[in-house]
Each structure stands twice: as structure tokens, then as C-alpha cells.
Amino acid sequence: MRKINAYICPALHHTITVCKDEGATSMFIKCPTCEATGKNEKAISMMGNVHQHFTPTHEWYKPTLEDWNNLNADIANKSLLSQLELHVKRGGLLFRPIK
Ligand SMILES: [Zn+2]
């Protein structure tokens, strides 16, 4: 729990993450820094090999009922939504910026 990890993209942006809940995280994410400038780069996991004192900017979480209601309202693509549901049913966590 509260395990800090990081993801590095080819432009060497790093995204510091935390596991809020127990479950499976992904090996790759879309680099949020690149995404903010309209580029699409994959960032790869440091596999938890990261000093634990870093402050995370993003979290892996297991959606609560309220989270699902928000996702349902935000995601117009219902087939994407059912993919997320299947992913979570199989023990996968979802990824979001920490507010
Ligand atoms: Zn990047």
C-alpha cells in the first residue's frame, strides 16, 4: 500500500504515481506531460524501483460507486467504459491525476 512508482517517457518526463488501493498497475501509461502538449508518448514503469520519499502526482485506484458514477458521466464511449469495468473486475486499477 502507498507504494510510490514512476513512469519515464522517451523525452525523459517522469510521472510519479502511488497505489491508493491494492491491485494491478500497468507497465505503460500515456505520458501526461507529452499529452498536455498534444504528443502521444508511452511512458514505461520503473517497476517500483524508486525512492519512496517522492510526492506522487498521479494515483492508481479502485473505483468506488461514486467514482463509477463520475466515470459514467465523463466517458461518452460506453464500450470504453465496459472495458474499464472488465479491467477492474480482473483486479486492475485505474489511473488518474491526484487533485
Ligand atoms: Zn513525455
Side-chain angles (χ1 to χ4, degrees):
M1 294 296 274
R2 299 298 298 174
K3 177 91 177 139
I4 301 290
N5 191 16
Y7 290 75
I8 310 290
C9 88
L12 300 184
H13 302 128
H14 59 272
T15 304
I16 301 166
T17 65
V18 66
C19 281
K20 183 171 165 276
D21 301 301
E22 290 206 54
T25 59
S26 304
M27 183 71 158
F28 294 98
I29 59 168
K30 240 191 258 175
C31 173
T33 308
C34 286
E35 198 177 18
T37 62
K39 294 186 195 107
N40 188 0
E41 295 279 11
K42 257 187 197 175
I44 188 167
S45 174
M46 290 283 290
M47 305 298 291
N49 185 26
V50 172
H51 290 183
Q52 294 296 300
H53 67 271
F54 290 114
T55 304
T57 56
H58 290 69
E59 66 186 3
W60 292 99
Y61 71 104
K62 187 176 178 165
T64 61
L65 189 58
E66 193 192 343
D67 290 328
W68 278 124
N69 288 339
N70 291 337
L71 288 167
N72 207 8
D74 290 348
I75 300 175
N77 181 343
K78 296 308 165 198
S79 95
L80 175 62
L81 199 63
S82 58
Q83 279 174 41
L84 291 182
E85 282 170 1
L86 189 61
H87 173 74
V88 171
K89 239 179 242 168
R90 289 175 173 162
L93 298 174
L94 301 187
F95 181 75
R96 68 181 170 195
I98 296 172
K99 281 176 192 151

Coordinates of all heavy atoms in Angstrom, one line a residue:
M1 N 0.8 -1.2 0.0 CA 0.0 0.0 0.0 C 0.9 1.3 0.0 O 2.0 1.2 0.6 CB -0.9 0.0 1.2 CG -1.9 -1.1 1.2 SD -3.2 -1.0 -0.1 CE -4.4 0.1 0.6
R2 N 0.3 2.3 -0.6 CA 1.0 3.6 -0.7 C 2.4 3.5 -1.3 O 3.4 4.1 -1.0 CB 1.2 4.3 0.7 CG -0.1 4.6 1.4 CD -1.0 5.6 0.6 NE -0.4 6.9 0.4 CZ -0.9 7.9 -0.3 NH1 -2.1 7.7 -0.9 NH2 -0.3 9.0 -0.4
K3 N 2.5 2.5 -2.2 CA 3.8 2.3 -2.9 C 4.0 3.3 -4.0 O 3.2 3.5 -4.9 CB 3.8 0.9 -3.5 CG 5.0 0.5 -4.2 CD 6.0 -0.2 -3.4 CE 7.2 -0.6 -4.3 NZ 8.5 -0.4 -3.7
I4 N 5.2 4.0 -3.9 CA 5.5 5.0 -4.9 C 6.2 4.4 -6.1 O 7.1 3.5 -5.9 CB 6.4 6.1 -4.3 CG1 5.8 6.8 -3.1 CG2 6.9 7.1 -5.3 CD1 4.6 7.7 -3.4
N5 N 5.8 4.8 -7.3 CA 6.4 4.3 -8.5 C 6.6 5.5 -9.5 O 6.1 6.6 -9.2 CB 5.6 3.2 -9.1 CG 6.3 2.4 -10.3 OD1 7.5 2.5 -10.4 ND2 5.6 1.7 -11.1
A6 N 7.3 5.3 -10.5 CA 7.4 6.3 -11.5 C 7.4 5.7 -12.9 O 7.7 4.5 -13.1 CB 8.7 7.1 -11.3
Y7 N 7.0 6.5 -13.9 CA 7.0 6.2 -15.3 C 7.8 7.2 -16.1 O 7.6 8.4 -15.9 CB 5.5 6.1 -15.8 CG 4.7 5.0 -15.2 CD1 4.2 5.1 -13.9 CD2 4.4 3.9 -16.0 CE1 3.5 4.0 -13.4 CE2 3.7 2.8 -15.5 CZ 3.2 2.9 -14.2 OH 2.5 1.9 -13.6
I8 N 8.6 6.7 -17.0 CA 9.5 7.5 -17.8 C 9.2 7.4 -19.3 O 9.0 6.3 -19.7 CB 11.0 7.1 -17.6 CG1 11.4 6.9 -16.1 CG2 12.0 8.1 -18.3 CD1 11.5 8.2 -15.3
C9 N 9.1 8.6 -19.9 CA 8.8 8.6 -21.4 C 10.1 8.8 -22.2 O 11.1 9.1 -21.6 CB 7.7 9.6 -21.7 SG 8.3 11.2 -22.1
P10 N 10.0 8.6 -23.5 CA 11.3 8.8 -24.3 C 11.8 10.2 -24.2 O 13.0 10.4 -24.4 CB 10.8 8.5 -25.7 CG 9.6 7.6 -25.6 CD 8.9 8.1 -24.3
A11 N 11.0 11.2 -23.9 CA 11.5 12.6 -23.7 C 12.0 12.8 -22.3 O 12.4 13.9 -21.9 CB 10.4 13.6 -24.0
L12 N 12.0 11.7 -21.5 CA 12.5 11.7 -20.1 C 11.7 12.5 -19.2 O 12.2 13.0 -18.1 CB 14.0 12.1 -20.0 CG 15.0 11.2 -20.8 CD1 16.4 11.6 -20.5 CD2 14.8 9.7 -20.4
H13 N 10.4 12.7 -19.5 CA 9.5 13.2 -18.5 C 9.2 12.1 -17.5 O 9.1 10.9 -17.9 CB 8.1 13.6 -19.1 CG 8.3 14.6 -20.2 ND1 7.7 14.5 -21.4 CD2 8.9 15.8 -20.2 CE1 8.0 15.5 -22.1 NE2 8.7 16.4 -21.4
H14 N 9.1 12.4 -16.2 CA 8.7 11.4 -15.3 C 7.4 11.7 -14.6 O 7.0 12.9 -14.4 CB 9.8 11.2 -14.2 CG 10.1 12.4 -13.4 ND1 11.0 13.3 -13.8 CD2 9.6 12.9 -12.3 CE1 11.0 14.3 -13.0 NE2 10.2 14.1 -12.0
T15 N 6.6 10.7 -14.4 CA 5.3 10.8 -13.7 C 5.4 9.9 -12.5 O 5.7 8.7 -12.5 CB 4.2 10.2 -14.6 OG1 4.3 10.9 -15.9 CG2 2.8 10.4 -14.0
I16 N 5.2 10.6 -11.3 CA 5.3 9.9 -10.0 C 3.9 9.4 -9.6 O 3.0 10.2 -9.6 CB 6.0 10.7 -8.9 CG1 7.4 11.2 -9.4 CG2 6.1 10.0 -7.6 CD1 8.0 12.3 -8.6
T17 N 3.8 8.1 -9.3 CA 2.5 7.5 -9.0 C 2.5 6.9 -7.6 O 3.5 6.6 -7.1 CB 2.1 6.5 -10.1 OG1 3.0 5.4 -10.0 CG2 2.2 7.0 -11.5
V18 N 1.3 6.7 -7.1 CA 1.1 5.9 -5.9 C 0.0 5.0 -6.1 O -1.0 5.2 -6.8 CB 0.9 6.9 -4.7 CG1 -0.5 7.6 -4.8 CG2 0.9 6.2 -3.4
C19 N 0.1 3.8 -5.4 CA -1.1 2.9 -5.4 C -1.9 3.2 -4.2 O -1.5 3.0 -3.0 CB -0.6 1.4 -5.2 SG 0.1 0.8 -6.8
K20 N -3.1 3.8 -4.5 CA -4.0 4.1 -3.4 C -4.7 2.9 -2.9 O -5.0 2.7 -1.7 CB -5.1 5.1 -4.0 CG -6.1 5.6 -3.0 CD -6.9 6.7 -3.7 CE -8.2 7.0 -2.9 NZ -9.3 6.1 -3.2
D21 N -5.0 1.9 -3.8 CA -5.6 0.7 -3.4 C -4.7 -0.5 -3.9 O -3.8 -0.3 -4.6 CB -7.0 0.6 -4.1 CG -7.9 1.7 -3.7 OD1 -8.2 1.9 -2.5 OD2 -8.3 2.5 -4.6
E22 N -5.1 -1.7 -3.5 CA -4.4 -2.9 -3.9 C -5.0 -3.3 -5.3 O -6.2 -3.3 -5.5 CB -4.5 -4.0 -2.9 CG -3.7 -3.7 -1.7 CD -3.3 -4.9 -0.9 OE1 -2.6 -5.8 -1.5 OE2 -3.6 -5.0 0.3
G23 N -4.1 -3.8 -6.1 CA -4.5 -4.3 -7.4 C -3.3 -4.1 -8.4 O -2.2 -3.8 -8.0
A24 N -3.6 -4.5 -9.7 CA -2.6 -4.5 -10.7 C -2.5 -3.1 -11.4 O -3.5 -2.5 -11.7 CB -2.9 -5.6 -11.7
T25 N -1.3 -2.7 -11.5 CA -1.0 -1.4 -12.3 C -0.5 -1.8 -13.7 O -0.1 -3.0 -13.9 CB 0.0 -0.6 -11.6 OG1 1.3 -1.3 -11.4 CG2 -0.5 -0.2 -10.2
S26 N -0.4 -0.8 -14.6 CA 0.0 -1.1 -15.9 C 1.5 -0.9 -16.1 O 2.1 -0.1 -15.4 CB -0.7 -0.2 -16.9 OG -2.1 -0.4 -16.8
M27 N 2.1 -1.6 -17.1 CA 3.5 -1.4 -17.4 C 3.8 -0.1 -18.1 O 4.8 0.5 -18.0 CB 3.9 -2.6 -18.3 CG 5.3 -2.7 -18.7 SD 6.3 -3.1 -17.3 CE 7.7 -3.7 -18.2
F28 N 2.8 0.3 -18.9 CA 2.9 1.5 -19.7 C 1.7 2.5 -19.4 O 0.6 2.0 -19.1 CB 2.8 1.2 -21.2 CG 4.0 0.5 -21.7 CD1 3.9 -0.9 -21.9 CD2 5.2 1.1 -22.0 CE1 5.0 -1.7 -22.3 CE2 6.3 0.4 -22.5 CZ 6.2 -1.0 -22.6
I29 N 2.0 3.8 -19.4 CA 0.9 4.7 -19.4 C 1.1 5.7 -20.6 O 2.3 5.7 -21.1 CB 0.8 5.5 -18.1 CG1 2.2 6.3 -17.8 CG2 0.5 4.6 -16.9 CD1 2.1 7.3 -16.7
K30 N 0.2 6.5 -20.9 CA 0.4 7.6 -21.8 C 1.1 8.7 -21.0 O 0.6 9.1 -19.9 CB -1.0 8.2 -22.3 CG -1.2 8.1 -23.8 CD -2.4 8.9 -24.2 CE -3.6 7.9 -24.5 NZ -4.8 8.7 -24.7
C31 N 2.2 9.3 -21.5 CA 2.9 10.3 -20.7 C 2.0 11.5 -20.6 O 1.7 12.2 -21.6 CB 4.2 10.7 -21.4 SG 5.0 12.1 -20.6
P32 N 1.6 11.9 -19.4 CA 0.7 13.0 -19.2 C 1.4 14.4 -19.6 O 0.7 15.3 -20.1 CB 0.4 13.1 -17.7 CG 0.8 11.7 -17.2 CD 1.9 11.2 -18.1
T33 N 2.7 14.5 -19.5 CA 3.4 15.7 -19.9 C 3.3 15.9 -21.4 O 3.0 17.0 -21.9 CB 4.8 15.7 -19.4 OG1 4.8 15.4 -18.0 CG2 5.5 17.1 -19.6
C34 N 3.6 14.8 -22.1 CA 3.6 14.8 -23.6 C 2.1 15.1 -24.0 O 1.9 15.8 -25.0 CB 4.1 13.5 -24.2 SG 5.9 13.4 -24.1
E35 N 1.2 14.4 -23.4 CA -0.2 14.5 -23.7 C -0.7 16.0 -23.6 O -1.5 16.4 -24.5 CB -1.1 13.6 -22.8 CG -2.4 13.3 -23.4 CD -3.2 12.3 -22.6 OE1 -2.9 12.2 -21.4 OE2 -4.2 11.8 -23.1
A36 N -0.2 16.7 -22.6 CA -0.6 18.1 -22.4 C -0.1 19.0 -23.6 O -0.7 20.0 -23.8 CB 0.0 18.6 -21.1
T37 N 0.9 18.5 -24.3 CA 1.3 19.3 -25.5 C 0.9 18.7 -26.8 O 1.5 19.0 -27.9 CB 2.9 19.5 -25.5 OG1 3.5 18.2 -25.6 CG2 3.4 20.2 -24.2
G38 N -0.1 17.8 -26.7 CA -0.6 17.2 -27.9 C 0.2 16.0 -28.5 O -0.1 15.5 -29.6
K39 N 1.3 15.6 -27.8 CA 2.0 14.5 -28.3 C 1.6 13.2 -27.6 O 1.0 13.3 -26.5 CB 3.5 14.7 -28.0 CG 4.1 15.9 -28.8 CD 5.6 15.9 -28.6 CE 6.2 17.3 -29.0 NZ 6.5 18.1 -27.8
N40 N 1.8 12.1 -28.2 CA 1.4 10.8 -27.7 C 2.6 9.9 -27.5 O 3.1 9.4 -28.5 CB 0.4 10.2 -28.6 CG -0.3 8.9 -28.0 OD1 0.1 8.6 -26.9 ND2 -1.1 8.3 -28.8
E41 N 3.1 9.9 -26.3 CA 4.3 9.0 -26.0 C 3.9 8.1 -24.9 O 3.2 8.4 -24.0 CB 5.5 9.9 -25.5 CG 6.1 10.8 -26.6 CD 7.0 10.1 -27.6 OE1 7.1 8.9 -27.6 OE2 7.7 10.9 -28.3
K42 N 4.5 6.8 -25.0 CA 4.3 5.9 -23.9 C 5.4 6.1 -22.9 O 6.5 6.3 -23.2 CB 4.5 4.5 -24.5 CG 3.3 3.7 -24.8 CD 3.7 2.3 -25.2 CE 2.6 1.5 -25.8 NZ 3.0 0.2 -26.3
A43 N 5.0 6.0 -21.6 CA 5.9 6.0 -20.5 C 6.0 4.6 -19.9 O 4.9 4.0 -19.7 CB 5.5 7.1 -19.5
I44 N 7.2 4.2 -19.5 CA 7.3 2.8 -19.0 C 7.6 2.9 -17.5 O 8.2 3.8 -17.0 CB 8.5 2.1 -19.8 CG1 8.5 0.6 -19.3 CG2 9.8 2.8 -19.5 CD1 9.4 -0.2 -20.2
S45 N 7.1 1.8 -16.9 CA 7.2 1.7 -15.4 C 8.6 1.5 -14.9 O 9.3 0.8 -15.5 CB 6.3 0.6 -14.9 OG 6.5 0.4 -13.5
M46 N 8.9 2.2 -13.8 CA 10.2 1.9 -13.1 C 10.1 0.7 -12.2 O 11.0 0.4 -11.5 CB 10.6 3.1 -12.3 CG 11.0 4.3 -13.1 SD 12.7 4.2 -13.7 CE 13.7 4.3 -12.2
M47 N 8.9 0.0 -12.3 CA 8.7 -1.3 -11.5 C 8.9 -1.1 -10.0 O 9.4 -2.0 -9.3 CB 9.6 -2.4 -12.1 CG 9.6 -2.6 -13.5 SD 7.9 -3.2 -14.1 CE 7.9 -4.8 -13.3
G48 N 8.6 0.1 -9.5 CA 8.7 0.3 -8.1 C 10.1 0.6 -7.6 O 10.3 0.8 -6.4
N49 N 11.1 0.6 -8.5 CA 12.5 0.8 -8.1 C 12.7 2.3 -8.1 O 13.4 2.9 -8.9 CB 13.4 0.1 -9.2 CG 14.8 0.2 -8.8 OD1 15.1 0.4 -7.6 ND2 15.7 0.2 -9.7
V50 N 12.1 3.0 -7.1 CA 12.0 4.4 -7.0 C 12.1 4.8 -5.5 O 11.5 4.1 -4.7 CB 10.7 5.0 -7.6 CG1 10.5 6.4 -7.3 CG2 10.6 4.7 -9.0
H51 N 12.9 5.8 -5.1 CA 12.9 6.2 -3.7 C 11.5 6.6 -3.3 O 10.8 7.2 -4.1 CB 13.9 7.4 -3.6 CG 15.3 7.0 -3.7 ND1 16.3 7.9 -3.6 CD2 15.9 5.8 -4.1 CE1 17.5 7.3 -3.8 NE2 17.3 6.0 -4.1
Q52 N 11.2 6.2 -2.1 CA 9.8 6.3 -1.7 C 9.4 7.7 -1.1 O 8.3 7.9 -0.7 CB 9.5 5.2 -0.6 CG 9.6 3.8 -1.2 CD 8.5 3.5 -2.3 OE1 7.3 3.6 -2.0 NE2 8.9 3.3 -3.5
H53 N 10.3 8.6 -1.1 CA 10.0 9.9 -0.5 C 9.4 10.9 -1.5 O 9.0 12.0 -1.1 CB 11.2 10.6 0.2 CG 12.3 10.9 -0.8 ND1 13.3 10.1 -1.2 CD2 12.5 12.1 -1.5 CE1 14.1 10.7 -2.1 NE2 13.6 11.9 -2.3
F54 N 9.4 10.5 -2.8 CA 8.8 11.4 -3.8 C 7.3 11.6 -3.6 O 6.6 10.7 -3.2 CB 9.1 10.9 -5.2 CG 10.6 11.0 -5.6 CD1 11.3 9.8 -5.8 CD2 11.2 12.2 -5.7 CE1 12.6 9.9 -6.1 CE2 12.5 12.3 -6.0 CZ 13.3 11.1 -6.2
T55 N 6.9 12.8 -4.0 CA 5.4 13.1 -3.9 C 4.7 12.8 -5.2 O 5.1 13.3 -6.2 CB 5.2 14.6 -3.6 OG1 6.0 14.9 -2.4 CG2 3.8 15.0 -3.4
P56 N 3.7 11.9 -5.1 CA 3.1 11.5 -6.3 C 2.2 12.6 -6.9 O 1.6 13.4 -6.2 CB 2.2 10.3 -5.9 CG 2.0 10.5 -4.4 CD 3.2 11.2 -3.9
T57 N 2.1 12.6 -8.2 CA 1.1 13.5 -8.9 C -0.1 12.7 -9.5 O -1.1 13.3 -9.8 CB 1.8 14.2 -10.1 OG1 2.4 13.2 -11.0 CG2 3.0 15.0 -9.6
H58 N 0.1 11.4 -9.6 CA -1.0 10.6 -10.1 C -1.2 9.3 -9.2 O -0.3 8.9 -8.5 CB -0.6 10.1 -11.5 CG -0.7 11.2 -12.5 ND1 0.3 12.2 -12.5 CD2 -1.5 11.5 -13.6 CE1 0.0 13.1 -13.5 NE2 -1.1 12.6 -14.2
E59 N -2.4 8.8 -9.3 CA -2.7 7.6 -8.4 C -3.4 6.5 -9.2 O -4.1 6.8 -10.2 CB -3.5 8.0 -7.2 CG -4.9 8.4 -7.5 CD -5.7 8.9 -6.3 OE1 -5.1 9.0 -5.2 OE2 -6.9 9.3 -6.5
W60 N -3.1 5.3 -8.8 CA -3.8 4.1 -9.2 C -4.8 3.8 -8.2 O -4.5 3.7 -7.0 CB -2.8 2.9 -9.3 CG -1.8 3.1 -10.4 CD1 -0.5 3.5 -10.2 CD2 -2.0 2.8 -11.8 NE1 0.1 3.5 -11.5 CE2 -0.7 3.1 -12.4 CE3 -3.1 2.3 -12.5 CZ2 -0.6 2.9 -13.8 CZ3 -2.9 2.2 -13.9 CH2 -1.7 2.5 -14.5
Y61 N -6.1 3.6 -8.6 CA -7.2 3.5 -7.7 C -8.2 2.5 -8.1 O -8.3 2.2 -9.3 CB -7.8 4.8 -7.4 CG -8.6 5.3 -8.6 CD1 -10.0 5.3 -8.6 CD2 -8.0 5.8 -9.7 CE1 -10.8 5.7 -9.7 CE2 -8.8 6.3 -10.8 CZ -10.1 6.2 -10.8 OH -10.9 6.6 -11.9
K62 N -8.9 1.9 -7.1 CA -10.0 1.0 -7.4 C -11.3 1.9 -7.3 O -11.5 2.5 -6.2 CB -10.0 -0.1 -6.4 CG -11.0 -1.1 -6.6 CD -10.9 -2.2 -5.5 CE -11.9 -3.3 -5.8 NZ -11.6 -4.5 -5.0
P63 N -12.0 2.0 -8.4 CA -13.2 3.0 -8.3 C -14.2 2.6 -7.3 O -14.6 1.4 -7.2 CB -13.7 2.9 -9.8 CG -12.8 2.1 -10.6 CD -11.9 1.3 -9.6
T64 N -14.7 3.6 -6.6 CA -15.8 3.4 -5.7 C -17.1 3.6 -6.5 O -17.0 4.0 -7.7 CB -15.8 4.5 -4.6 OG1 -15.9 5.8 -5.2 CG2 -14.6 4.4 -3.7
L65 N -18.2 3.4 -5.9 CA -19.5 3.6 -6.6 C -19.6 5.0 -7.2 O -20.0 5.3 -8.3 CB -20.7 3.2 -5.7 CG -22.1 3.2 -6.4 CD1 -22.1 2.2 -7.5 CD2 -23.1 2.9 -5.3
E66 N -19.2 5.9 -6.3 CA -19.2 7.4 -6.7 C -18.2 7.6 -7.9 O -18.6 8.3 -8.8 CB -18.8 8.2 -5.5 CG -19.0 9.7 -5.7 CD -18.4 10.6 -4.7 OE1 -18.0 10.1 -3.6 OE2 -18.3 11.8 -5.0
D67 N -17.0 7.0 -7.9 CA -16.1 7.1 -9.0 C -16.7 6.6 -10.3 O -16.6 7.2 -11.3 CB -14.8 6.3 -8.7 CG -14.0 6.9 -7.6 OD1 -14.0 8.2 -7.5 OD2 -13.3 6.2 -6.9
W68 N -17.4 5.4 -10.2 CA -18.1 4.9 -11.4 C -19.1 5.8 -11.9 O -19.3 6.0 -13.1 CB -18.7 3.5 -11.1 CG -17.7 2.3 -11.1 CD1 -17.5 1.4 -10.1 CD2 -16.9 1.9 -12.2 NE1 -16.5 0.5 -10.5 CE2 -16.2 0.8 -11.8 CE3 -16.7 2.5 -13.5 CZ2 -15.2 0.2 -12.6 CZ3 -15.7 1.8 -14.3 CH2 -15.0 0.7 -13.9
N69 N -19.9 6.4 -11.0 CA -20.9 7.4 -11.4 C -20.3 8.5 -12.2 O -20.8 9.0 -13.2 CB -21.7 7.9 -10.2 CG -22.7 6.8 -9.7 OD1 -23.0 5.9 -10.4 ND2 -23.1 6.9 -8.5
N70 N -19.1 9.0 -11.7 CA -18.4 10.1 -12.3 C -17.9 9.7 -13.7 O -18.0 10.4 -14.7 CB -17.2 10.6 -11.5 CG -17.7 11.3 -10.2 OD1 -18.9 11.8 -10.2 ND2 -16.9 11.4 -9.2
L71 N -17.3 8.4 -13.7 CA -16.8 7.9 -15.0 C -17.9 7.8 -16.0 O -17.7 8.1 -17.2 CB -16.1 6.6 -14.8 CG -14.7 6.6 -14.0 CD1 -14.3 5.2 -13.6 CD2 -13.6 7.2 -14.9
N72 N -19.0 7.3 -15.5 CA -20.2 7.1 -16.4 C -20.6 8.4 -17.0 O -21.0 8.5 -18.2 CB -21.3 6.5 -15.6 CG -22.2 5.7 -16.4 OD1 -22.0 5.4 -17.6 ND2 -23.3 5.2 -15.8
A73 N -20.5 9.5 -16.2 CA -20.9 10.8 -16.7 C -19.9 11.4 -17.6 O -20.2 12.1 -18.6 CB -21.1 11.8 -15.5
D74 N -18.6 11.1 -17.4 CA -17.5 11.7 -18.2 C -17.2 11.0 -19.5 O -16.8 11.6 -20.4 CB -16.2 11.7 -17.3 CG -16.2 12.6 -16.2 OD1 -17.2 13.5 -16.1 OD2 -15.3 12.6 -15.3
I75 N -17.4 9.7 -19.5 CA -17.0 8.9 -20.6 C -18.2 8.6 -21.5 O -19.1 7.9 -21.2 CB -16.3 7.6 -20.2 CG1 -15.1 7.9 -19.4 CG2 -15.9 6.7 -21.4 CD1 -14.4 6.6 -18.8
A76 N -18.2 9.3 -22.7 CA -19.3 9.1 -23.6 C -19.2 7.8 -24.3 O -20.3 7.2 -24.7 CB -19.3 10.2 -24.7
N77 N -18.0 7.2 -24.5 CA -17.8 6.0 -25.2 C -18.1 4.8 -24.3 O -17.3 4.4 -23.4 CB -16.3 5.9 -25.7 CG -16.0 4.7 -26.5 OD1 -16.8 3.7 -26.4 ND2 -14.9 4.7 -27.2
K78 N -19.3 4.2 -24.4 CA -19.7 3.2 -23.4 C -19.0 1.9 -23.6 O -18.9 1.1 -22.7 CB -21.2 3.0 -23.6 CG -22.1 4.2 -23.2 CD -21.7 4.8 -21.8 CE -22.2 6.1 -21.6 NZ -21.6 6.9 -20.5
S79 N -18.4 1.6 -24.8 CA -17.6 0.4 -24.9 C -16.3 0.5 -24.2 O -15.8 -0.4 -23.6 CB -17.5 0.0 -26.4 OG -16.3 0.5 -26.9
L80 N -15.8 1.8 -24.2 CA -14.5 2.0 -23.4 C -14.9 1.8 -21.9 O -14.1 1.2 -21.1 CB -14.1 3.5 -23.6 CG -12.9 3.9 -22.7 CD1 -11.6 3.1 -23.0 CD2 -12.6 5.4 -23.0
L81 N -16.0 2.3 -21.5 CA -16.5 2.2 -20.1 C -16.6 0.7 -19.7 O -16.1 0.3 -18.6 CB -17.8 2.9 -19.9 CG -18.2 3.2 -18.5 CD1 -17.2 4.2 -17.9 CD2 -19.6 3.8 -18.4
S82 N -17.1 -0.1 -20.6 CA -17.3 -1.6 -20.2 C -15.9 -2.3 -20.2 O -15.7 -3.2 -19.5 CB -18.3 -2.3 -21.1 OG -17.9 -2.2 -22.5
Q83 N -15.0 -1.8 -21.1 CA -13.6 -2.3 -21.0 C -13.0 -2.0 -19.6 O -12.2 -2.8 -19.1 CB -12.7 -1.6 -22.1 CG -12.8 -2.3 -23.4 CD -12.0 -1.5 -24.5 OE1 -10.9 -1.0 -24.2 NE2 -12.6 -1.3 -25.6
L84 N -13.2 -0.8 -19.1 CA -12.7 -0.4 -17.8 C -13.3 -1.3 -16.7 O -12.6 -1.7 -15.8 CB -13.0 1.1 -17.5 CG -12.3 2.2 -18.3 CD1 -12.7 3.5 -17.9 CD2 -10.7 2.0 -18.2
E85 N -14.6 -1.5 -16.8 CA -15.2 -2.4 -15.8 C -14.7 -3.8 -15.8 O -14.4 -4.3 -14.7 CB -16.8 -2.4 -16.1 CG -17.5 -1.2 -15.7 CD -19.0 -1.1 -16.2 OE1 -19.4 -2.1 -16.9 OE2 -19.6 -0.2 -15.9
L86 N -14.4 -4.3 -17.0 CA -13.8 -5.6 -17.1 C -12.4 -5.6 -16.5 O -12.0 -6.5 -15.8 CB -13.8 -6.1 -18.6 CG -13.4 -7.5 -18.9 CD1 -14.4 -8.5 -18.2 CD2 -13.3 -7.8 -20.4
H87 N -11.6 -4.6 -16.8 CA -10.3 -4.4 -16.3 C -10.3 -4.4 -14.8 O -9.5 -5.1 -14.2 CB -9.7 -3.1 -16.9 CG -8.4 -2.7 -16.3 ND1 -7.2 -3.3 -16.7 CD2 -8.1 -1.7 -15.4 CE1 -6.2 -2.7 -16.0 NE2 -6.7 -1.8 -15.3
V88 N -11.2 -3.7 -14.2 CA -11.3 -3.6 -12.7 C -11.8 -5.0 -12.1 O -11.3 -5.4 -11.1 CB -12.2 -2.4 -12.3 CG1 -12.5 -2.5 -10.8 CG2 -11.5 -1.1 -12.7
K89 N -12.7 -5.6 -12.8 CA -13.2 -6.9 -12.4 C -12.1 -7.9 -12.3 O -12.1 -8.8 -11.5 CB -14.3 -7.4 -13.3 CG -15.6 -7.7 -12.7 CD -16.7 -8.1 -13.7 CE -17.8 -7.1 -13.7 NZ -18.7 -7.4 -14.8
R90 N -11.1 -7.8 -13.2 CA -10.0 -8.7 -13.3 C -8.8 -8.3 -12.3 O -7.7 -8.8 -12.4 CB -9.4 -8.8 -14.7 CG -10.4 -9.5 -15.6 CD -9.8 -9.4 -17.1 NE -10.6 -10.3 -17.9 CZ -10.7 -10.2 -19.3 NH1 -9.9 -9.3 -19.9 NH2 -11.4 -11.0 -20.0
G91 N -9.1 -7.3 -11.5 CA -8.1 -6.9 -10.5 C -7.2 -5.7 -10.9 O -6.3 -5.4 -10.2
G92 N -7.5 -5.1 -12.0 CA -6.7 -3.9 -12.5 C -7.2 -2.7 -11.8 O -8.4 -2.5 -11.4
L93 N -6.2 -1.7 -11.6 CA -6.5 -0.4 -11.0 C -6.7 0.6 -12.2 O -6.2 0.4 -13.3 CB -5.4 0.0 -10.1 CG -5.2 -0.9 -8.9 CD1 -4.0 -0.4 -8.1 CD2 -6.4 -0.9 -8.0
L94 N -7.3 1.7 -11.9 CA -7.4 2.8 -12.9 C -6.5 3.9 -12.4 O -6.0 3.9 -11.3 CB -8.9 3.4 -12.9 CG -9.9 2.3 -13.3 CD1 -11.3 3.1 -13.5 CD2 -9.6 1.6 -14.6
F95 N -6.2 4.8 -13.4 CA -5.1 5.8 -13.2 C -5.7 7.2 -13.4 O -6.5 7.4 -14.3 CB -4.1 5.5 -14.4 CG -2.9 6.5 -14.4 CD1 -1.9 6.3 -13.5 CD2 -2.8 7.5 -15.4 CE1 -0.8 7.1 -13.5 CE2 -1.7 8.3 -15.4 CZ -0.7 8.1 -14.5
R96 N -5.4 8.1 -12.5 CA -5.9 9.5 -12.6 C -4.9 10.5 -11.9 O -4.2 10.1 -11.0 CB -7.3 9.6 -12.0 CG -7.3 9.4 -10.5 CD -8.7 9.5 -9.9 NE -8.7 9.1 -8.5 CZ -9.8 8.8 -7.8 NH1 -11.0 8.9 -8.4 NH2 -9.7 8.5 -6.6
P97 N -5.0 11.8 -12.3 CA -4.2 12.8 -11.6 C -4.7 12.9 -10.1 O -5.9 12.7 -9.9 CB -4.4 14.1 -12.3 CG -5.1 13.7 -13.6 CD -5.7 12.4 -13.4
I98 N -3.8 13.2 -9.2 CA -4.3 13.5 -7.8 C -4.7 14.9 -7.7 O -4.0 15.8 -8.2 CB -3.1 13.2 -6.8 CG1 -2.7 11.7 -6.9 CG2 -3.5 13.6 -5.4 CD1 -1.5 11.3 -6.1
K99 N -5.9 15.1 -7.2 CA -6.4 16.5 -7.1 C -5.9 17.2 -5.9 O -5.7 16.6 -4.9 CB -7.9 16.5 -7.2 CG -8.4 16.3 -8.6 CD -9.9 16.2 -8.6 CE -10.3 15.7 -10.0 NZ -11.6 14.9 -10.0
Ligands
ZN1 ZN 6.7 12.7 -22.0

